[in-house]
Amino acid sequence: MITLPDYALDYMENLNQSGRSKLTLKQYESDLKKFFSWLDIYKENTTFETIKALRADDIRAYFHYLKDKQLSQATIRRLASVLSRLMIYHQCVCAHEIHKLAEAAPLRSLTTKDFITSKEYNKLLKYLLIKDIEITKKSARNYLLTRNWTIVSLLKTFGLTPIDVHSIKMKDVNLAQGELTLSREEAPLILPIPQDIMTKLRDYYFTIPEAFRPKYYSNDPVFIAFNNISYSFQYDYDRQKPKALSVRAIQEMIKDEVRRAGLRKISAVNFRNTAILETLASGASDEKIMHQFHLTSEAALRRYKQYLLNNMND
């Protein structure tokens, strides 16, 4: 397990002293660990002098690595922001170039492996609703079938990210009208939720015991964390609201369900890529696609256009 070096811990302590929240500190630590995990491979026996000596080509290599892992541009920008603050704190030469390098790193071409086929998706949906047969003990998963099915369907239908799903509040979902509202800087995005997803979403909602159930029109999270030992939905008593399902838990759920269905390695990125491609193929304008999927760079959209063009010519 990667641990932060002393000079990074010194920076984290400075953040702590400045009054940053525990959640922010935890996110910073996680983001910095990604960098140092890469750096330990890229530069053996790293020391404080190692990061002081990093130059633009080194940082560019890091962002190439991140983009090869198919991280979203928004995630890469966040990682760049955290890394640049560390570098500024230690007065590293490359500190002020990091954001520019993060945006400039070229995106690789898309291949068929970056998407999920209809056959794969339908098989996954089928297996998502098959209960575990446990002879000696209960299965926590059996309590979460409709929740997991709904999450995967939202990811694929709307190209949401796990962070999007984690962030959905009850005030964002109109259970009567069947609409999902996503916040955007320019204007809110209102999406009509297909009837099959609405049915499963309502089913999931009413499986939550009333004492833990998120309240209508509130800031309560829609998707609630579950304790696999006590077989119960979790409640944050400090905040007096249900505890939101974490981004990591969403990612792990997808990984587990994909494996259970006997499919190749598929992640939320594959769902999102497929949703973007299908929307592009439907004839939607560039402006609509970039707004709907929260794309910040036209370069990202060009990859999908090129993939679509190559497929049409095959």
Side-chain angles (χ1 to χ4, degrees), residues 23 26-27 78 147 150-152 154-155 160-170 172-173 180-183 204 214 218-225 236 239 241-251 253-254 268:
L23 186 62
K26 187 176 180 180
Q27 183 66 68
R78 190 193 73 234
R147 187 199 72 178
T150 301
I151 289 173
V152 168
L154 288 173
L155 291 169
L160 303 184
T161 66
I163 293 176
D164 291 329
V165 172
H166 162 80
S167 303
I168 296 174
K169 306 291 192 296
M170 285 300 295
D172 301 324
V173 178
L180 171 64
T181 301
L182 300 176
S183 61
Y204 150 69
S218 72
N219 282 314
D220 291 355
V222 170
F223 296 104
I224 312 303
D236 188 333
R239 298 187 177 187
K241 64 170 60 178
K243 185 177 180 181
L245 183 65
S246 71
V247 172
R248 182 175 180 80
I250 294 168
Q251 294 169 329
M253 178 274 288
I254 295 168

Side-chain angles (χ1 to χ4, degrees), residues 211-229:
F212 300 95
R213 192 177 298 161
K215 298 178 177 62
Y216 289 123
Y217 313 115
S218 72
N219 282 314
D220 291 355
V222 170
F223 296 104
I224 312 303
F226 192 81
N227 189 310
N228 292 342
I229 297 175

Side-chain angles (χ1 to χ4, degrees), residues 94-154:
C94 61
H96 296 286
E97 297 182 80
I98 289 175
H99 287 284
K100 183 168 63 178
L101 293 168
E103 294 292 336
L107 295 163
R108 66 171 179 78
S109 299
L110 294 166
T111 71
T112 54
K113 292 182 179 179
D114 294 309
F115 304 93
I116 181 171
T117 67
S118 296
K119 183 177 180 181
E120 289 171 330
Y121 180 57
N122 290 333
K123 183 178 181 181
L124 180 58
L125 290 185
K126 176 184 175 182
Y127 273 80
L128 276 161
L129 295 178
I130 297 176
K131 288 187 175 183
D132 289 335
I133 301 175
E134 297 284 342
I135 299 175
T136 59
K137 62 179 181 178
K138 293 190 291 185
S139 168
R141 176 179 172 274
N142 289 346
Y143 290 83
L144 306 170
L145 299 180
T146 51
R147 187 199 72 178
N148 294 348
W149 190 98
T150 301
I151 289 173
V152 168
S153 297
L154 288 173

Side-chain angles (χ1 to χ4, degrees), residues 182-308:
L182 300 176
S183 61
R184 293 288 186 264
E185 288 83 357
E186 320 85 67
L189 177 66
I190 300 176
L191 300 168
I193 304 176
Q195 186 57 51
D196 59 339
I197 299 180
M198 277 307 305
T199 298
K200 292 292 192 302
L201 178 57
R202 291 191 188 100
D203 288 347
Y204 150 69
Y205 181 76
F206 288 107
T207 63
I208 305 171
E210 192 169 353
F212 300 95
R213 192 177 298 161
K215 298 178 177 62
Y216 289 123
Y217 313 115
S218 72
N219 282 314
D220 291 355
V222 170
F223 296 104
I224 312 303
F226 192 81
N227 189 310
N228 292 342
I229 297 175
S230 63
Y231 303 102
S232 60
F233 288 94
Q234 295 184 274
Y235 196 84
D236 188 333
Y237 289 97
D238 291 335
R239 298 187 177 187
Q240 288 296 297
K241 64 170 60 178
K243 185 177 180 181
L245 183 65
S246 71
V247 172
R248 182 175 180 80
I250 294 168
Q251 294 169 329
E252 289 299 316
M253 178 274 288
I254 295 168
K255 185 188 299 183
D256 290 343
E257 293 295 342
V258 165
R259 184 169 54 244
R260 187 183 301 274
L263 298 172
R264 64 185 172 91
K265 185 177 179 182
I266 292 171
S267 70
V269 177
N270 297 85
F271 300 138
R272 178 172 169 80
N273 285 342
T274 305
I276 294 172
L277 188 69
E278 290 176 350
T279 305
L280 181 63
S282 73
S285 67
D286 290 4
E287 293 76 13
K288 178 182 177 181
I289 295 172
M290 292 186 71
H291 178 60
Q292 177 173 337
F293 297 101
H294 217 197
L295 299 175
T296 57
S297 167
E298 291 186 0
L301 188 54
R302 281 199 295 273
R303 293 199 304 159
Y304 298 94
K305 289 183 176 180
Q306 189 60 52
Y307 180 85
L308 197 60

Side-chain angles (χ1 to χ4, degrees), residues 43-58:
K43 301 264 190 183
E44 292 184 7
N45 303 317
T46 56
T47 63
F48 180 57
E49 287 67 34
T50 305
I51 71 156
K52 292 284 283 187
L54 291 177
R55 294 295 183 267
D57 285 347
D58 302 311

Side-chain angles (χ1 to χ4, degrees), residues 60-74:
R60 189 178 292 110
Y62 175 55
F63 291 120
H64 276 297
Y65 162 78
L66 294 177
K67 291 194 175 186
D68 281 342
K69 290 177 70 68
Q70 300 183 43
L71 297 184
S72 71
Q73 193 65 29

